[in-house]
Amino acid sequence: MRELFALPPFRRALIALAATGVSFPALGTYILALELVSARFAVMHAALLGAALGLLAGIPALPAAIAASLVAGAGVARLSEKSSTSAGGALGLVMTLSLGLSFIVFYKAEINAIEAFDLFWGSVLALSQLELVLTVTGAVTVLALSWLFIREIGAVLYDRELARTFGIPARTVYYGIVMAVCLGIALAMRVTGALMVDAVTILPALAARSLKKGLKGSLLWGAFFGLAMNFGGFTLALVLDLPASPAIIVLGAVIVAAARIVETRRSRGAVRKEP
Amino acid sequence: MSTLLETRELSLAYGPRLVLKNTTLALKGGRGRIVGLRGPNGAGKSTFLKACLGLHAAQGGELALLGARPGSPGFRAVLADIGYLPQARPAGQLRMTVAEVVELGRYGRLRQRRRLNKEDRRAVDAALEAAQVTGLRNRAIQELSGGQYQRVSLARALAGEPKLLLLDEPSSHLDLASRTTVVELITSLARTRKASMLLVSHDEELLALCDSFIDFFEHRAELRDA
């Protein structure tokens, strides 16, 4: 075991799991509250376009993908501003447009599409030093902003229009939330792979939501479940010789199911107690 | 006497649909004035309240609430003196507790502080008590009935110790028992005369509390004494 800790990829994996485990469940809470569940598909495709453009310009794929995700986030926020909660239609538009433009870039610039699609097959054990630095910076940024602006974020997630009547710059806060979600999804793609981004965002938030009412409680318990899922899943992967991301997501699903059972039992108990 | 509300040639519209045209009003009043906004559905009462808060931009003319124009640099300070109860329940999925929602009403009083202090907590507790929802403080907002939710919204509006309450159909869409509780609550608030109220309602019992009315009809609004 000690030899494993001596390996840089293993150490980078542990740091990334800790950073994303603590921070990214907050994004899951925001995704669920704003009904941005389909955002990951839109952002992934925007990231693909960014990676393609990055390869075209000769810059690393991940920073280019992050930049494209942020632009997509601003677009999604702009398009969804008029609807009170859901941004589903806007996300669909961003997703298809990004995919269309990506394939035009692949075709016209004769880029190897497989290189750009590499972005989708992330693995926590394959993180480069640059990717780790970007992941930790993103995680710390999300955590710091969530902590500093918890009231503003809570008000906007509760009701954007009402938030404006408190004197909160609701539009800025909403844009900030959507862009933080997009940043987190772009980073999480390298940690877990595109199809398992939910493992570090939505699953811990879902488990927390089952057990805890209130924004602060959801964020704290989300961080707890995020760490438990990441390190528990990673340990399972090592012990049982499994790929890391699927092990994290399977353990996450089991924890979410267990939290749901506890929630159901609690609410049945509460109903029985009521006169 | 200070000016509660002033409009000059105010026009409001929803896209191509005109709601209010060239309306001029001046509503004086110290603390405790109760003004009813009456008129048929779609006459523009709720839109007018939203325009007062800067949530709906005027198509033309001017509007000032408590001496400040919505959207002007000084209006943020005015918002701290206003409690607003909207007509619709938010559709958001965030599981906030009742206490967290009521604390939001204190936001305008926090200024540079990031945390609630003792005075803020006292005001939140007082608002919960006034709205008779202290026992619900740890419940998730989604778990509440229509009447409970409306009382919590009132507590949230009161938590900022407002000089002016803007209440949009507070007793609508409630069952009889809930409506009675909400009407009693607003009646007792009105009797204390601690805050002025702009009250949109079709409820005769609530309208009976008003000192004056703004009647909305045919794209116009006129001020009348009770």
Side-chain angles (χ1 to χ4, degrees), chain B residues 68-100:
Chain B
R69 273 188 305 114
S72 67
F75 193 65
R76 200 174 159 196
V78 166
L79 284 173
D81 288 328
I82 296 171
Y84 173 50
L85 189 134
Q87 196 174 358
R89 191 169 173 160
Q93 300 296 312
L94 185 65
R95 275 167 65 95
M96 290 180 92
T97 61
V98 165
E100 282 181 327

Side-chain angles (χ1 to χ4, degrees), chain A residues 14 42 45 49 76 116 127 133 151 171 198 221 256 262 270:
Chain A
L14 291 181
H45 290 94
L49 175 61
V76 167
L127 286 178
V133 168
R151 279 186 204 290
R171 189 173 186 233
D198 292 355
W221 278 81
V256 170
V262 173

Side-chain angles (χ1 to χ4, degrees), chain A residues 1-61:
Chain A
M1 195 67 169
R2 189 172 286 175
E3 307 88 74
L4 279 177
F5 283 98
L7 298 172
F10 190 81
R11 287 205 302 266
R12 283 200 291 270
L14 291 181
I15 295 169
L17 288 172
T20 55
V22 170
S23 172
F24 286 12
L27 300 176
T29 302
Y30 307 154
I31 289 171
L32 292 171
L34 291 174
E35 296 177 3
L36 289 171
V37 175
S38 53
R40 64 193 187 285
F41 294 116
V43 175
M44 278 173 211
H45 290 94
L48 180 71
L49 175 61
L53 292 171
L55 290 171
L56 185 66
I59 55 174

Side-chain angles (χ1 to χ4, degrees), chain B residues 58-191:
Chain B
Q59 198 187 46
E62 287 178 13
L63 184 153
L65 190 69
L66 299 176
R69 273 188 305 114
S72 67
F75 193 65
R76 200 174 159 196
V78 166
L79 284 173
D81 288 328
I82 296 171
Y84 173 50
L85 189 134
Q87 196 174 358
R89 191 169 173 160
Q93 300 296 312
L94 185 65
R95 275 167 65 95
M96 290 180 92
T97 61
V98 165
E100 282 181 327
V101 169
V102 176
E103 284 173 10
L104 287 178
R106 203 64 201 160
Y107 183 84
R109 301 283 177 210
L110 293 181
R111 295 197 178 92
Q112 301 307 316
R113 281 179 287 127
R114 302 298 308 163
R115 307 251 171 267
L116 299 182
N117 64 16
K118 215 180 251 182
E119 190 191 338
D120 296 318
R121 296 202 181 283
R122 184 203 51 74
V124 168
D125 288 344
L128 286 164
E129 201 176 316
Q132 299 163 29
V133 287
T134 305
L136 302 175
R137 67 180 305 148
N138 294 320
R139 291 270 291 273
I141 202 81
Q142 283 85 357
E143 294 170 3
L144 305 182
S145 69
Q148 287 172 329
Y149 175 79
Q150 203 67 327
R151 281 188 283 146
V152 168
S153 292
L154 264 173
R156 195 250 313 133
L158 292 172
E161 297 169 301
K163 289 179 186 165
L164 175 63
L165 279 166
L166 272 58
L167 309 178
D168 195 353
E169 303 271 15
S171 61
S172 294
H173 314 299
L174 300 179
D175 59 56
L176 187 61
S178 301
R179 181 204 154 268
T180 307
T181 313
V182 168
V183 168
E184 280 173 3
L185 191 56
I186 293 172
T187 306
S188 68
L189 283 173
R191 285 197 183 123

Side-chain angles (χ1 to χ4, degrees), chain A residues 187-244:
Chain A
L187 291 169
M189 279 165 66
R190 289 303 300 150
V191 177
T192 63
L195 298 176
M196 285 171 270
V197 162
D198 292 355
V200 290
T201 53
I202 295 174
L203 291 187
L206 273 175
R209 194 164 81 161
S210 293
L211 295 185
K212 207 69 195 164
K213 297 161 194 163
L215 181 58
K216 274 182 213 162
S218 295
L219 295 184
L220 289 171
W221 278 81
F224 169 75
F225 282 123
L227 282 174
M229 287 176 191
N230 278 5
F231 283 109
F234 191 62
T235 308
L236 274 181
L238 288 177
V239 172
L240 303 176
D241 188 22
L242 300 171

Side-chain angles (χ1 to χ4, degrees), chain A residues 11-241:
Chain A
R11 287 205 302 266
R12 283 200 291 270
L14 291 181
I15 295 169
L17 288 172
T20 55
V22 170
S23 172
F24 286 12
L27 300 176
T29 302
Y30 307 154
I31 289 171
L32 292 171
L34 291 174
E35 296 177 3
L36 289 171
V37 175
S38 53
R40 64 193 187 285
F41 294 116
V43 175
M44 278 173 211
H45 290 94
L48 180 71
L49 175 61
L53 292 171
L55 290 171
L56 185 66
I59 55 174
L62 186 60
I66 289 170
S69 303
L70 292 176
V71 172
V76 167
R78 177 81 188 91
L79 288 168
S80 64
E81 242 177 327
K82 288 200 162 46
S83 88
S84 59
T85 54
S86 174
L91 292 169
L93 182 66
V94 170
M95 184 170 84
T96 47
L97 183 65
S98 301
L99 203 54
L101 290 174
S102 299
F103 279 95
I104 287 172
V105 173
F106 293 147
Y107 180 74
K108 283 288 181 190
E110 294 180 0
I111 287 174
N112 182 3
I114 298 300
E115 275 186 68
F117 273 103
D118 267 352
L119 192 71
F120 280 22
W121 319 124
S123 164
V124 73
L125 284 165
L127 286 178
S128 69
Q129 191 64 30
L130 172 69
E131 287 167 346
L132 178 69
V133 168
L134 289 172
T135 303
V136 172
T137 307
V140 170
T141 305
V142 167
L143 210 58
L145 292 177
S146 297
W147 181 251
L148 272 175
F149 298 107
I150 191 162
R151 279 186 204 290
E152 289 81 356
I153 291 170
V156 168
L157 295 182
Y158 179 62
D159 186 338
R160 262 183 272 168
E161 192 172 80
L162 195 62
R164 287 172 63 193
T165 71
F166 304 144
I168 290 171
R171 189 173 186 233
T172 309
V173 175
Y174 177 69
Y175 268 66
I177 294 170
V178 174
M179 291 178 73
V181 165
C182 292
L183 171 72
I185 290 171
L187 291 169
M189 279 165 66
R190 289 303 300 150
V191 177
T192 63
L195 298 176
M196 285 171 270
V197 162
D198 292 355
V200 290
T201 53
I202 295 174
L203 291 187
L206 273 175
R209 194 164 81 161
S210 293
L211 295 185
K212 207 69 195 164
K213 297 161 194 163
L215 181 58
K216 274 182 213 162
S218 295
L219 295 184
L220 289 171
W221 278 81
F224 169 75
F225 282 123
L227 282 174
M229 287 176 191
N230 278 5
F231 283 109
F234 191 62
T235 308
L236 274 181
L238 288 177
V239 172
L240 303 176
D241 188 22

